[in-house]
Structures are given as C-alpha cells and as structure tokens.
Amino acid sequence: MPYSHIIAEKKGRVGLITLNRPKALNALSDALIGELGQALDAFEADGEIGAIVLTGSEKAFAAGADILEMKDRSYIDVYSSDFITRGWERVAHCRKPVIAAVAGYALGGGCEVAMMCDFILAAENAKFGQPEITLGTLPGAGGTQRLTRFVGKSKAMEMCLTGRMMDAEEAERAGLVSRVVPNESLVEEALKVADRIAGLSQPIVMMTKEAVNRAYETTLAEGIRFERRLFHSTFATEDQKEGMTAFSEKRQPDFKNR
Ligand code: CAA
C-alpha cells in the first residue's frame, strides 16, 4: 500500500517501516501516526510476517510530535480528540515484536515511540531526549513513565527537567538500548535480529513478549504466576513438541506456528 509519510516493505518474513518525512526530521504528525498504525495493522494481519523493524533516517529517527501542527491547539482540542492515546498507543499494543532501529535524533515523541517498541538498537550517532520542557509542556506519550522504568529516577528526572540529550553510549550504559551498532549497519543488523525472531514459533514469541511486558505492569509474584501459566500452556503447542524433539534428534526445528 502506498503511503506519503512512511515506507512499508516486506523483507522476507520481516516488516520494515521507515519513517519518511525527511524535511521535518520525521516529526510525528497526525497523518504520519495514522499511516504508521495502518502499516502495523497490515503487518500484524500478515501471517508471513514474524517481526517488525521501525526505523527513520540517518539524521533522525523522529524529532518528536509535530510542533507546528499542535502549537495552536486548545485544551479542548487535545482532550476531545484524545490526542496521543488515539493512534500513538498502537505501537505499544502490537502483539508481534517491534524493534526500533534508531539513528540520529529520537526526541520527545520520537524517544517515546522508540520506547514503545520491544527493544531499541541504536546507531553510534543516536541521541535520545525528552525536550518537551523547553517548549513549555511535558512528555505526553509515556516519556516520564517509560524512561523512568528504563533508566531509573535520577537520569529520567534530569533528562525530563532539563531536556538534555543522551548519546548512544550513555543510553546503552543506562539500559535504554539493547546494543549500539555502527551507523552504516544499523538497519541491516536490525533486520538480521528481526529475521532470527521471525524464524521462531510466532505464538511462543508473542507469549514471551507478553510475559516480559508483564514485568512492567505487576508485582513480582503475579508476574511469575503469569509467566508460569504461559510456560505451562506452551506444552499444549505443536511447536514445543517440535522444538524439544528437534533438540533431542540434533536437528534444526521446523516450527509451524501451531
Ligand atoms: N516538529 C515540527 N517540525 C520539526 C520538528 C518537530 N518536532 N523538529 C524539527 N522540525 C523541522 C524544523 O522546523 C525544520 O523545518 P524547516 O527546515 O522548514 O525550518 C526542519 O525540521 C529541520 O530542523 P532544524 O532546522 O531545527 O534542524 P537542526 O539540525 O538545526 O536541529 C533538532 C535538529 C535539534 C532535532 C531540532 O530540530 C529540534 O530541536 N527539534 C524539536 C525537538 C523537540 O522539541 N521535540 C519534542 C516535540 S514535543 C513532543 O514530542 C510531545 C510529546 O511528548 C508527544
């Protein structure tokens, strides 16, 4: 399907979405967020796709919500239209794994969308920040909550209160990104990781994602109970039988997503 603000491509069993508003550093306009939701819906519905990579350009993953588009909106405008919740949260609600491949600026809503993904691979030139305070507002797409869970109170508070950016090395040290890779191999590396995930059993991958996400939403005891029930339920799948049989027969498993 042709889009105006993103490019959506199938790379084998991986869906690649590239944010594509280069003149505005991929500022996240309503139209762009709408297209992103449509592309995610399409990849979620496509049985051939096992994982999704979300990336931007070499200069910017995304420089935040579109400031020019929102600057004159009133309280009633943003409240009534459920700004952010309607649309943006689609990323966080994906059931298939979504990997953010971040080069350049991931600021404000850009940082927040990256954090809605399941993990972040960063290029060496990546810069993360929540500069909303310098605009007279505060993060509105989960930044104060997700950044704090990723990097702890002290660093999150400093970043949200000052708007200071964090480079890739600091982001890796702080646990915001899973790995830093050379700029030129970012998308290739993200596709490789996504393809590895897409080659596993899709239902078990989704259960694993659900279980890890639960760690952010509940107590340790409840989280462990949730994990245990999912673990037990994998024994009702053909893929668990295939995976363990293949190991015992010293061959690669042939998962059927059943
Ligand atoms: N919204 C709209 N347009 C944006 C934008 C944004 N968030 N970020 C950059 N642009 C546009 C600029 O207006 C400029 O357009 P023109 O060429 O037409 O003037 C173009 O992108 C290039 O930007 P710069 O000239 O500023 O590029 P630079 O290299 O000098 O600076 C930057 C890069 C540091 C990222 C700077 O653009 C910047 O500070 N951007 C804004 C970052 C920001 O504050 N983000 C938070 C937005 S609020 C938010 O996201 C709320 C939320 O939580 C949901």
Side-chain angles (χ1 to χ4, degrees):
M1 176 172 180
Y3 295 106
S4 307
H5 306 296
I6 64 168
I7 300 166
E9 302 162 89
K10 280 171 80 162
K11 301 276 186 190
R13 51 198 180 184
V14 177
L16 173 63
I17 301 176
T18 307
L19 305 179
N20 189 33
R21 281 189 79 199
K23 287 189 182 138
L25 301 183
N26 293 332
L28 302 164
S29 61
D30 288 349
L32 185 152
I33 291 290
E35 290 187 356
L36 176 59
Q38 286 173 32
L40 291 172
D41 285 345
F43 284 145
E44 288 258 76
D46 186 337
E48 288 174 4
I49 295 294
I52 298 162
V53 171
L54 178 60
T55 195
S57 70
E58 282 166 26
K59 183 160 184 204
F61 176 74
D66 191 318
I67 300 167
L68 307 182
E69 191 177 72
M70 71 182 159
K71 71 183 180 38
D72 295 324
R73 289 180 182 163
S74 68
Y75 168 74
I76 286 299
D77 292 336
V78 292
Y79 181 78
S80 303
S81 66
D82 209 6
F83 181 42
I84 303 291
T85 315
R86 179 190 44 78
W88 293 57
E89 290 287 336
R90 179 69 189 86
V91 182
H93 294 150
C94 266
R95 298 188 74 203
K96 292 180 182 175
V98 186
I99 302 169
V102 174
Y105 297 112
L107 301 179
C111 186
E112 292 168 301
V113 165
M115 291 190 291
M116 287 179 199
C117 297
D118 295 304
F119 58 93
I120 303 174
L121 285 183
E124 284 161 341
N125 75 343
K127 286 191 172 60
F128 300 87
Q130 298 292 159
E132 289 87 344
I133 198 153
T134 66
L135 299 168
T137 185
L138 59 107
T144 61
Q145 304 305 298
R146 289 198 178 92
L147 187 63
T148 308
R149 282 166 168 77
F150 274 107
V151 305
K153 177 180 167 184
S154 195
K155 217 178 254 295
M157 190 68 93
E158 187 206 348
M159 288 179 67
C160 291
L161 286 180
T162 65
R164 147 175 116 73
M165 292 185 214
M166 197 192 267
D167 67 17
E169 197 190 308
E170 184 181 0
E172 186 183 25
R173 230 175 26 241
L176 177 59
V177 310
S178 67
R179 266 187 304 132
V180 180
V181 300
N183 295 347
E184 59 280 4
S185 53
L186 174 70
V187 175
E188 182 192 328
E189 188 59 30
L191 288 172
K192 206 156 79 183
V193 179
D195 184 65
R196 178 171 163 73
I197 296 169
L200 301 169
S201 164
Q202 281 188 32
I204 308 295
V205 163
M206 288 197 287
M207 286 183 200
T208 306
K209 168 171 170 160
E210 245 188 290
V212 174
N213 280 335
R214 199 66 168 220
Y216 284 94
E217 291 156 9
T218 190
T219 61
L220 179 62
E222 282 307 315
I224 285 176
R225 196 193 313 274
F226 182 78
E227 178 200 86
R228 196 65 35 82
R229 293 292 168 254
L230 281 179
F231 171 71
H232 289 159
S233 73
T234 65
F235 286 75
T237 68
E238 291 174 20
D239 287 346
Q240 174 269 336
K241 296 290 170 283
E242 169 62 10
M244 294 194 185
T245 303
F247 176 83
S248 69
E249 293 174 355
K250 301 190 185 306
R251 61 173 174 81
Q252 287 300 309
D254 178 16
F255 293 123
K256 299 276 194 260
N257 299 327
R258 298 188 58 81

